[in-house]
Each structure stands twice: as structure tokens, then as C-alpha cells.
Amino acid sequence: MSSKENLKAAFTGESMANRTYLAFAKKADAEGYNQIAKLFRAAAAAETVHAHNHLQRMGGIGTTMDNLKEAINGETYEFETMYPEFIEEAKKEGDNRALWSFEVANKVEKIHARLYEKALEEIGKNEEVDYYVCSVCGHTHEGEPEGNCPICGAPPSKYNKID
Amino acid sequence: MSSKENLKAAFTGESMANRTYLAFAKKADAEGYNQIAKLFRAAAAAETVHAHNHLQRMGGIGTTMDNLKEAINGETYEFETMYPEFIEEAKKEGDNRALWSFEVANKVEKIHARLYEKALEEIGKNEEVDYYVCSVCGHTHEGEPEGNCPICGAPPSKYNKID
Ligand SMILES: [Fe+2]
Ligand SMILES: [Fe+2]
Ligand SMILES: [Fe+2]
Ligand SMILES: [Fe+2]
Ligand SMILES: [Fe+2]
Ligand SMILES: [Fe+2]
């Protein structure tokens, strides 16, 4: 493989390692291994540096206008192609736990695509608004949520405000 | 593909989307699009929820003892196989920017493997220590760093303490 392809493969590996270590840190905290949790978070932070170094060198970061278009393409692929296929297969297998995970993500990606499209249309004069993210399903809401999550039914206390 | 494989593919996609959106958020802030930066951070937080939902459902989170072994295996693959191959190719191509990114990561993964091995040996009686991560190369240091980063040469001000 060329170095360009290798940068992409390394970016993928570093991205997955970061997410995995964060999940392992939560588990270690839950099991009372707070020092090991801290180590997992430290390594996760290091993998962020590696992932972003590789991404930058593979030309993966453009102008914000380019980046919004790229994000819209990625979200659209997920809710038009990837998740519908995964949902169909999970239904066929009767795998309800996988099905739930795919279905909520699929709904949220549609919302992401819309929010990114709006941001692109209004670029330079974007309205100031806070976002709240449901910690159960990832639902991304403009402004303070008033009721339960419309996607997973979680109560408002499950939302986190994004700074 | 089976739902088990689909969960893994979706975990990969969500992990990469999260890392990419965080990089896009930094770029948007640098370009003065603070509202768009906030949207990228919100979507990144949502992709974290999706990645962890998928990871949990694919059985990717074990006990902390299992998780440490898994982390050691991943780091060892990276510094014994993946990065050495990528480094060789980057040298052949004379791609010095990719080479730097691979070389510093490779050195840091060796350190991660050692830290995880120590944590596993001492599990249940781990010494309390703070970790500091170099924001340039990801070097992961036990205790407060006293001089420049031994891997990339960055000054101590480039280290972030991990909480
Ligand atoms: Fe890494
Ligand atoms: Fe999304
Ligand atoms: Fe939700
Ligand atoms: Fe997602
Ligand atoms: Fe590592
Ligand atoms: Fe460094």
C-alpha cells in the first residue's frame, strides 16, 4: 500500500483504539480500578494526537465549507446505504440488540445531515444556538430539550449540553 | 455480512466520524466559525454514543483484566507489525511527513504497551500517578514531565495533564 493509504489505515486504527480505550476507562471506573481508568484515558488522549496527525497528513482536513460537504456526504451514506442494510440484516437474524443500535443511529444521522446542511446554507451568519445530545441514543437537539427524547424515549436528564 | 460483522463496521465508521468531526471543529474555530465548531462537537458527541452502543453490543467490552490484555495485543500489533511496515514504505517513497507521523506513533505505542503491562501486573494495587500527554506526538509520561518531550522535542508546556 502507498503511504497515503497507510495514513488512512493508521487513522482508522487510532480512531478505534481511542474509542475502545474510553469505553475501557468507563468500565475500569465502574469496577473501582480508578488508576487504570486514568491510564486508559491517557492512552486515549495520545491516540487522539496520532489520529489527528495522520488525518492532517492525508489531506483530510479542508476549509470549513469543504468539511461541511464532506460531513453531509458521510452522514448521507450512513442513513441511505449503510444503516438500512444493517437494519435489514438484523431484522432477518432477529438480533434486536443490534437492531436497536442501528435504528437509533440511523435516525440521528438524518438529523446530523439536516443540521450540517443548514449550517452550510447559513455559513458566515449562523444563528447562535446550544446543542444537547442524548447520552442514550445520540439524538442531537437544537436548544434545551423540553420533553423525553423523541428517538429513544429517555428523560431530559439524559441530555448533555455541548460547549 | 452478519450483524456481528455489521456492528464492527458501524463501530469503525462511527469512530472515524467522531475523530474527523473533532478535527473539523478545531478548524472551524480557527476560521472563526464558532457556531459550526459547536455543531461539529455536538455531532462528535453523538457519534461517541453510537460507537459505544455498537461496541457494547458486539461484546467488545470485557472485564478490566480482559481489556488490559486486549489493549496490550492492539499496541503490540501496532509497534511490531503495522507501523514498521508503514515506516518502511514512507522511507521508500521519501514521504517525510507521513514518516514522522508513523515514527512518533510507533515509539509511543511501545510505551503504552509497557504501561498497560505494568497496570496488569499490579492490578488491584496500582500505584497512584498522574499521566501527562504530549499534544504534538502523544508521548504518555508518568508524573510531571521535567524536560522537553524525549520523542518529539516539544517543550513541557505542550503536555496536557489527564484527569
Ligand atoms: Fe496511537
Ligand atoms: Fe452523524
Ligand atoms: Fe435518545
Ligand atoms: Fe453516528
Ligand atoms: Fe497506543
Ligand atoms: Fe512529544
Side-chain angles (χ1 to χ4, degrees):
Chain A
M1 289 205 299
S2 69
S3 287
K4 174 123 199 190
E5 291 167 306
N6 289 341
L7 282 168
K8 182 143 197 242
F11 172 67
T12 305
E14 296 285 355
S15 296
M16 292 168 72
N18 166 278
R19 312 283 67 198
T20 303
Y21 292 166
L22 276 196
F24 288 179
K26 276 190 207 171
K27 179 73 175 180
D29 269 329
E31 291 186 333
Y33 297 121
N34 302 52
Q35 181 61 36
I36 295 177
K38 211 187 261 195
L39 174 57
F40 277 128
R41 286 195 297 272
E47 314 313 7
T48 296
V49 175
H50 297 162
H52 284 169
N53 282 341
H54 299 335
L55 182 64
Q56 196 253 325
R57 281 162 178 75
M58 67 195 241
I61 307 171
T63 64
T64 294
M65 205 177 281
D66 293 337
N67 293 340
L68 282 168
K69 288 177 192 163
E70 173 77 17
I72 292 164
N73 287 341
E75 298 286 354
T76 304
Y77 164 73
E78 289 188 348
F79 77 74
E80 278 189 353
T81 305
M82 186 181 86
Y83 280 125
E85 287 174 13
F86 292 0
I87 287 168
E88 201 186 351
E89 174 65 23
K91 280 183 182 163
K92 220 181 287 168
E93 293 178 18
D95 185 340
N96 288 324
R97 294 178 71 242
L99 180 61
W100 181 89
S101 208
F102 297 146
E103 277 186 334
V104 300
N106 191 48
K107 286 175 189 161
V108 172
E109 313 316 359
K110 277 182 209 162
I111 292 164
H112 288 168
R114 271 209 304 275
L115 290 170
Y116 284 140
E117 278 159 8
K118 199 171 84 164
L120 183 60
E121 279 162 24
E122 297 170 357
I123 192 166
K125 46 183 184 1
N126 304 275
E127 188 195 359
E128 265 189 55
V129 60
D130 284 323
Y131 300 99
Y132 290 76
V133 172
C134 174
S135 61
V136 176
C137 76
H139 176 46
T140 308
H141 187 266
E142 286 184 302
E144 203 164 340
E146 284 173 11
N148 290 352
C149 174
I151 290 178
C152 77
S157 62
K158 290 289 184 181
Y159 278 90
N160 294 317
K161 179 168 178 265
I162 305 302
D163 289 316
Chain B
M1 290 203 301
S2 70
S3 287
K4 174 125 197 188
E5 292 166 305
N6 289 341
L7 282 168
K8 182 144 195 242
F11 172 67
T12 306
E14 295 285 355
S15 296
M16 291 167 73
N18 166 278
R19 312 281 71 196
T20 302
Y21 292 166
L22 275 196
F24 287 178
K26 275 191 207 170
K27 178 73 175 181
D29 270 330
E31 291 186 333
Y33 296 120
N34 304 340
Q35 182 59 37
I36 296 177
K38 212 187 258 192
L39 174 58
F40 277 128
R41 286 195 297 273
E47 315 312 9
T48 296
V49 175
H50 297 162
H52 285 169
N53 282 342
H54 300 334
L55 182 64
Q56 196 253 323
R57 280 161 177 77
M58 67 193 240
I61 307 170
T63 65
T64 294
M65 205 178 279
D66 293 336
N67 293 340
L68 282 169
K69 288 176 192 163
E70 173 76 17
I72 293 164
N73 287 341
E75 298 286 355
T76 304
Y77 164 74
E78 288 188 350
F79 77 74
E80 278 189 353
T81 306
M82 187 181 88
Y83 280 125
E85 287 174 14
F86 292 180
I87 286 168
E88 201 187 349
E89 174 64 24
K91 280 183 183 164
K92 219 183 286 172
E93 292 179 18
D95 186 339
N96 288 325
R97 294 178 71 241
L99 180 61
W100 181 89
S101 207
F102 296 146
E103 278 186 333
V104 299
N106 190 48
K107 286 175 188 162
V108 172
E109 313 314 0
K110 276 181 209 164
I111 293 164
H112 288 168
R114 272 208 304 273
L115 291 170
Y116 284 139
E117 278 160 9
K118 198 171 85 165
L120 183 60
E121 280 163 23
E122 298 171 356
I123 192 165
K125 45 181 182 15
N126 303 275
E127 187 196 358
E128 264 190 57
V129 60
D130 283 323
Y131 299 100
Y132 290 75
V133 173
C134 174
S135 62
V136 176
C137 76
H139 176 47
T140 308
H141 188 266
E142 286 184 300
E144 201 163 342
E146 285 174 12
N148 289 353
C149 174
I151 289 178
C152 77
S157 62
K158 290 289 184 182
Y159 279 91
N160 293 317
K161 179 168 178 265
I162 305 301
D163 290 316

